[in-house]
Amino acid sequence: MPRNVELKARGRDLARAERVAERLSGGAGRALTQTDTFLRAPRGRLKLRDFGDGRGELIFYERPDSEGPKLSHYSISPTADPAGLVAVLSQALGVQGVVKKERRLYMVGQTRVHLDRVEGLGDFLELEVVLSEQQSPEDGERVARRLMEELGVQEEDLVAGAYLDLLLAGGSPT
């Protein structure tokens, strides 16, 4: 199962983070619209991501709900019928909630840098350091911490859990 080291933080200054991400990645990044439907699952998290253009992904992942860099194990299966798949899975498993976001994706080395505007929550920055087989979680944490510093992310900006958790808890200050 693929692994990455992830962190999520409130986006204090997304314009600054965007300039830094563009410089580090060498490009303008890719704009994405995503609707994530979180389904009830006996363990971990299961979501159907709809890109709004006929493409989607079924994503299962397990990771601790703690602040700061954390190890995540995940599996992704693409689908050409996200609406149909979410309808069937919703009937079978039930829905926990839906997260809608506008995302700008940058690739910085082995790291996916996400600058997110989440409906009902505001601005966030997410890092996903994709680990090779030979890399340890500590290697990924070092990469994440270096990028945190370059992007201006402070420890107090870090958030635990998923966007869904924040929405279910009543949102967060933006």
Side-chain angles (χ1 to χ4, degrees):
M1 184 179 277
R3 311 168 299 147
N4 63 27
V5 171
E6 299 183 17
L7 71 80
K8 187 183 316 299
R10 286 184 180 78
R12 286 181 189 247
D13 187 351
L14 239 48
R16 178 192 179 282
E18 188 170 10
R19 287 189 303 274
V20 172
E22 284 181 3
R23 178 177 51 79
L24 294 173
S25 69
R30 195 170 81 190
L32 302 167
T33 299
Q34 299 177 343
T35 300
D36 292 343
T37 302
F38 283 80
L39 303 149
R40 298 193 188 288
R43 70 178 224 278
R45 294 184 191 260
L46 182 65
K47 66 184 174 185
L48 192 290
R49 173 165 289 159
D50 189 331
F51 292 104
D53 62 0
R55 295 176 310 117
E57 298 173 332
L58 184 62
I59 304 167
F60 170 76
Y61 65 96
E62 293 180 290
R63 70 162 189 245
D65 288 331
S66 58
E67 293 178 357
K70 56 202 148 275
L71 182 65
S72 175
H73 292 85
Y74 62 93
S75 296
I76 299 175
S77 179
T79 179
D81 183 17
L85 188 55
V86 80
V88 170
L89 290 171
S90 296
Q91 289 174 10
L93 302 172
V95 173
Q96 283 186 297
V98 176
V99 175
K100 295 179 181 185
K101 63 184 172 283
E102 298 295 324
R103 168 170 281 177
R104 184 151 301 270
L105 167 65
Y106 300 88
M107 289 303 302
V108 177
Q110 71 191 87
T111 305
R112 293 186 292 255
V113 176
H114 303 147
L115 304 181
D116 294 337
R117 178 151 288 144
V118 183
E119 190 175 290
L121 293 178
D123 294 342
F124 289 83
L125 181 144
E126 201 175 68
L127 300 178
E128 295 177 350
V129 182
V130 180
L131 299 174
S132 70
E133 293 246 345
Q134 299 76 26
Q135 286 182 298
S136 70
E138 294 77 21
D139 295 332
E141 183 170 340
R142 281 191 290 279
V143 171
R145 293 231 177 249
R146 268 196 314 275
L147 278 171
M148 271 178 63
E149 188 175 322
E150 290 201 63
L151 292 162
V153 176
Q154 306 295 314
E155 288 291 326
E156 61 266 19
D157 299 331
L158 297 174
V159 295
Y163 294 137
L164 178 65
D165 300 325
L166 296 172
L167 285 169
L168 293 176
S172 74
T174 58

